[in-house]
Amino acid sequence: MTRNVPVYDPRGAVETQRLATAPRVKQLEGLRLGLLDNTKWNANKLLRGVRDRLAARHAFSAVNYYRKESFSLAATPKLLAEIAANNDIVLTAIGD
């Protein structure tokens, strides 16, 4: 006896568009550095350590620190706009 069993494909369809990457900066001196903490356990520690090492070698004009509400949520459009408006380069980390 044969039965027809429906099989569903869980992958779905993803629509994307190509985006150009930002050009690399030539030097870090005088730039405004943004750090985006995703609130995972060690992200703060990792970002602050990287910040300290970079700041010891490069003279940033400003270092700005931001936190997302939750690691499981995307940063809000308002937060992303603030980061984009107030920084020249941005670092983020997962930090598990």
Side-chain angles (χ1 to χ4, degrees):
M1 169 156 104
T2 39
R3 290 190 284 171
N4 289 333
V5 177
V7 176
Y8 299 97
D9 184 349
R11 294 175 294 177
V14 176
E15 294 182 24
T16 64
Q17 66 183 57
R18 282 194 177 267
L19 298 173
T21 57
R24 288 184 178 254
V25 297
K26 304 250 187 271
Q27 65 179 24
L28 299 177
E29 280 66 32
L31 296 182
R32 300 168 298 166
L33 172 64
L35 302 165
L36 176 58
D37 182 343
N38 73 348
T39 67
K40 282 203 155 201
W41 290 103
N42 292 312
N44 180 340
K45 183 177 181 180
L46 177 61
L47 285 172
R48 290 181 189 274
V50 170
R51 176 206 59 199
D52 293 346
R53 292 185 82 168
L54 285 172
R57 295 181 63 177
H58 305 282
F60 295 109
S61 64
V63 177
N64 301 305
Y65 198 86
Y66 305 91
R67 286 176 54 95
K68 290 182 6 173
E69 289 182 33
S70 169
F71 61 84
S72 63
L73 300 174
T76 64
K78 181 180 177 182
L79 177 59
L80 292 176
E82 180 182 347
I83 292 170
N86 295 314
N87 299 280
D88 301 304
I89 58 174
V90 180
L91 293 175
T92 189
I94 293 173
D96 275 344

